[in-house]
Amino acid sequence: MIDEVRISDLGVIEGAELRLHPGFNVVTGETGAGKTMVVTALGLLLGARAESSAVRRGAERAQVDAELTVRGDHRAVRLAEEAGAWVREDEDTIEDTIDGTIEGTEDGVGRYAGETALMLGRTVSAKGRSRAGVSGRAVPISVLGEVGSALVTVHGQTDQLRLRSAGAQRRALDGYAGEEFAALLAEYRSRYADLRAERAELEDITAHERRRRLEAEQLQQALEQIDEVDPQPGEDAELKAEALKLENVEDLREAASAASAALSGPDVAESVDDAPHAVALVERARSALSAVSDQDPELAETAAQIESVSAMLNDAAGQLGAYASSLDESGPERLAQVHQRRADLDRLTRLYGPDVESVVAWAEESRARLSTLQSDGDRIEVLRASVAEAETQLWEQAAELRRRRIRAAELLAEAVGTELAALSMPHATMVVDVAETEELGPDGADAVAMLLAPHAGAQPLPLGRGASGGELSRVMLAIEVVLAAYDSADTFIFDEVDAGVGGRAAVQIGRRLAMLAEHVQVIVVTHLPQVAAFAQNHIRVHKSSVLDDSASGGFTASDVRSLSDEERVDELARMLAGQEDSASARAHARELIADASAT
């Protein structure tokens, strides 16, 4: 719902601020006053093409901003968020439209349960450049159009945007068909999605059979190669450490022997060197202190430490001796085995992963893939049977959907025909054609087309063909009135929907616009007082001319504002008789308002 629209320097409108009612809003004014500029302003927010000629003379740019209240789960909110707009603000205000600021409401975004505020902005420079914004975020014009079109539907003399496509007409009919139909359609869509997935898998298997067979052969060869080597996680690191040890075995043996001799002395059978060694020296120190350790506790503590060191040196010496003895003469043969094993692992890591762990993981995944590929024949048979069964069931469901659509189409056409008769089109016929398609689709196997025969004996043609702009606006009004409770946008704009009618038909148009406004917000540009009398919010566009001594001789400006109850009587009197101070016209105006209120 549009809460407020601000317009500056657009056409003859220098500046205007429109506060709109959630129900029926009407815009009136003398010919040339700028009523259509209001619709033009709203059109800019829907992504309409911007012309530099629309900028008010002498101004650098025209600007239109609108604040809307939107359900939090509305498609427009999702589109705005995808464009980067911040539409779920928790603060008390929303600021920064595309060229300036608009203050938020006192309650802030989401001031109604489950609703949020959305800002749309559009500027057009006198040089022809155009900019768009959604809740403070600059966006392409196309994005603004998507967001706006999700919220607002325009029906005008040249714009009949809603239900223009076959898809929109089918969706409208489906909405009219009711909740039971919606449940059946949801079930059909779920099964159709499963069918598409199975078809895609079957097509992939059969269409790429040769490729899959080759892939299986390659995987088989690769896995055989890996299995022959049988890599173990962490093995490459262990082999690297072992190779380093084997390559330096003599240096390691010499170092271990030298260290062992330094600690406990050389082997008696191999040396006559009786130089003191670490174990003997430490033992000598321990013996010297043990004789007197009972005479001083401090010295006893030191003696205990030396005794601990002596035990550690003896252990280390024993370990070094054992280590040197373990370095046997088979080192070169083992080193060759290690080098070969590392070469085998390196070959695998070059082909299947950066390390042994990656190779093992790849092998596990490939075994599962190979199992799938090797079962292609069985899987094809299973899929073919499943697809055939699913198609049979879906054709049956599609037939049931068609039966219900045809019934709904008959009721819809009848209801629209009744509305058309009341809108001064008694001989117009609405036809909703439901035709079977050759293939199943995501919504069944039906093509829906809404056709109109505007006159008796006329061939039914698609909406938009064979009817004048005024007739088409009334046709769309009739359809929207019927569909309002089932399928509708949040806001409808009707421009000159009453063209070419008057009297009783005008009253019926006003009444049906009021009926539509019970479900959605309606904004109507009209020249008929019978229509305006039904409005809950009356907006007048008033033109004034100012003369000056400039070369241009002056300028024209339009004032746009909502009318009070008494001002509304004046405006209807002007529309009735051209004289707002006429007593009879004013009396007639009051009568129109009273009759509309009593309806």
Side-chain angles (χ1 to χ4, degrees):
M1 180 186 77
I2 303 175
D3 297 319
E4 184 176 339
V5 179
R6 296 181 181 181
I7 306 171
S8 62
D9 294 324
L10 181 67
V12 294
I13 301 177
E14 183 177 7
E17 183 176 309
L18 306 181
R19 294 187 179 276
L20 299 174
H21 191 279
F24 190 177
N25 302 267
V26 68
V27 180
T28 66
E30 295 180 357
T31 301
K35 298 189 298 297
T36 56
M37 279 296 110
V38 175
V39 177
T40 299
L42 295 171
L44 290 174
L45 297 176
L46 301 181
R49 182 176 180 179
E51 300 287 350
S52 59
S53 58
V55 180
R56 191 169 182 273
R57 189 175 57 132
E60 293 183 0
R61 66 186 180 188
Q63 181 167 333
V64 183
D65 295 299
E67 180 178 347
L68 301 91
T69 297
V70 187
R71 298 190 316 276
D73 60 351
H74 198 287
R75 175 172 172 266
V77 173
R78 177 175 57 79
L79 291 171
E81 289 176 333
E82 290 175 354
W86 194 2
V87 296
R88 297 187 184 278
E89 175 68 69
D90 292 326
E91 301 296 332
D92 289 339
T93 60
I94 288 182
E95 297 182 344
D96 262 347
T97 59
I98 186 65
D99 280 296
T101 62
I102 292 182
E103 296 181 355
T105 61
E106 292 182 356
D107 296 321
V109 176
R111 54 199 179 283
Y112 307 112
E115 295 180 337
T116 187
L118 192 64
M119 302 293 199
L120 304 182
R122 182 81 178 271
T123 60
V124 182
S125 74
K127 296 181 180 180
R129 290 190 296 271
S130 178
R131 299 174 62 197
V134 176
S135 290
R137 178 78 171 189
V139 299
I141 304 299
S142 59
V143 172
L144 177 68
E146 283 189 77
V147 174
S149 296
L151 296 164
V152 182
T153 295
V154 179
H155 292 307
Q157 292 290 298
T158 58
D159 263 330
Q160 303 292 342
L161 302 184
R162 183 167 155 80
L163 304 182
R164 179 171 56 187
S165 69
Q169 293 176 13
R170 181 198 51 73
R171 288 190 295 271
L173 177 62
D174 288 354
Y176 185 76
E179 295 182 0
E180 187 176 342
F181 177 89
L184 291 174
L185 181 58
E187 181 182 354
Y188 172 90
R189 286 173 173 168
S190 176
R191 291 190 175 183
Y192 181 78
D194 294 340
L195 173 63
R196 288 190 63 181
E198 289 186 339
R199 278 176 171 173
E201 183 180 356
L202 179 59
E203 180 179 353
D204 180 66
I205 294 175
T206 54
H208 304 95
E209 184 176 1
R210 183 175 180 277
R211 176 184 60 78
R212 291 169 69 90
R213 186 168 60 251
L214 178 61
E215 182 186 357
E217 292 175 359
Q218 292 172 339
L219 286 176
Q220 182 67 46
Q221 293 173 4
L223 289 171
E224 289 175 356
Q225 186 179 25
I226 293 174
D227 291 342
E228 183 179 354
V229 175
D230 190 24
Q232 301 299 316
E235 184 182 5
D236 48 350
E238 294 175 0
L239 290 171
K240 181 179 180 181
E242 185 178 0
L244 181 64
K245 177 179 177 180
L246 292 173
E247 288 169 352
N248 298 278
V249 65
E250 293 302 326
D251 293 341
L252 293 172
R253 181 184 289 110
E254 290 178 6
S257 299
S260 176
L263 290 176
S264 60
D267 186 82
V268 176
E270 297 180 359
S271 175
V272 296
D273 185 5
D274 57 354
H277 49 82
V279 172
L281 291 173
V282 171
E283 181 61 24
R284 185 184 303 173
R286 186 193 66 78
S287 298
L289 293 178
S290 63
V292 296
S293 59
D294 57 342
Q295 301 175 17
D296 186 346
E298 182 178 353
L299 197 61
E301 182 179 350
T302 303
Q305 291 176 346
I306 292 176
E307 185 175 359
S308 175
V309 169
S310 178
M312 293 176 61
L313 289 176
N314 275 301
D315 289 343
Q319 291 173 5
L320 287 170
Y323 176 81
S325 300
S326 69
L327 298 175
D328 55 32
E329 300 301 325
S330 64
E333 296 178 4
R334 175 57 184 164
L335 180 60
Q337 294 174 356
V338 170
H339 281 323
Q340 181 59 50
R341 180 66 177 173
R342 293 186 70 191
D344 293 340
L345 293 177
D346 286 343
R347 185 171 64 256
L348 295 182
T349 55
R350 286 196 302 271
L351 294 172
Y352 308 114
D355 49 41
V356 171
E357 283 76 8
S358 299
V359 173
V360 173
W362 184 88
E364 292 178 357
E365 295 175 359
S366 297
R367 288 185 208 283
R369 175 62 175 168
L370 179 61
S371 177
T372 299
L373 294 173
Q374 289 175 336
S375 63
D376 274 356
D378 295 337
R379 182 59 179 162
I380 287 174
E381 294 304 316
V382 171
L383 284 174
R384 282 176 176 166
S386 180
V387 166
E389 182 180 359
E391 287 178 343
T392 299
Q393 294 177 350
L394 283 174
W395 275 112
E396 292 175 355
Q397 284 186 293
E400 177 61 17
L401 290 175
R402 184 178 312 108
R403 186 185 68 78
R404 292 174 180 263
R405 278 190 177 120
I406 290 174
R407 177 56 181 159
E410 293 171 350
L411 296 175
L412 176 60
E414 182 180 351
V416 171
T418 301
E419 293 299 320
L420 288 174
L423 293 173
S424 195
M425 297 180 68
H427 303 297
T429 303
M430 175 79 174
V431 177
V432 182
D433 182 61
V434 180
E436 181 179 354
T437 58
E438 295 182 356
E439 297 181 357
L440 293 168
D443 300 294
D446 300 328
V448 176
M450 292 185 178
L451 310 173
L452 174 70
H455 311 291
Q459 178 70 25
L461 297 174
L463 294 179
R465 295 174 54 190
S468 66
E471 287 176 330
L472 187 54
S473 290
R474 277 178 278 161
V475 171
M476 295 311 300
L477 172 57
I479 295 174
E480 301 297 7
V481 167
V482 174
L483 294 177
Y486 303 93
D487 174 70
S488 65
D490 298 87
T491 298
F492 284 89
I493 300 173
F494 289 90
D495 184 16
E496 303 292 350
V497 67
D498 48 20
V501 299
R504 188 177 187 87
V507 173
Q508 292 299 323
I509 289 175
R511 179 171 290 114
R512 272 143 182 83
L513 287 167
M515 291 167 58
L516 180 61
E518 293 176 1
H519 302 280
V520 296
Q521 184 182 47
V522 175
I523 302 170
V524 178
V525 177
T526 184
H527 66 279
L528 291 181
Q530 296 93 330
V531 172
F534 283 88
Q536 295 157 302
N537 180 35
H538 194 142
I539 298 168
R540 185 189 66 179
V541 181
H542 178 68
K543 179 175 66 176
S544 61
S545 298
V546 178
L547 300 177
D548 58 28
D549 296 330
S550 65
S552 63
F555 61 88
T556 298
S558 288
D559 172 55
V560 184
R561 64 186 183 87
S562 295
L563 302 180
S564 65
D565 290 344
E566 198 59 32
E567 289 173 330
R568 188 180 176 198
V569 172
D570 293 341
E571 176 65 3
L572 290 183
R574 182 199 63 77
M575 296 171 71
L576 285 164
Q579 300 178 12
E580 57 191 53
D581 56 353
S582 167
S584 59
R586 290 175 61 81
H588 191 184
R590 293 184 190 279
E591 182 181 0
L592 284 177
I593 294 174
D595 290 345
S597 299
T599 302

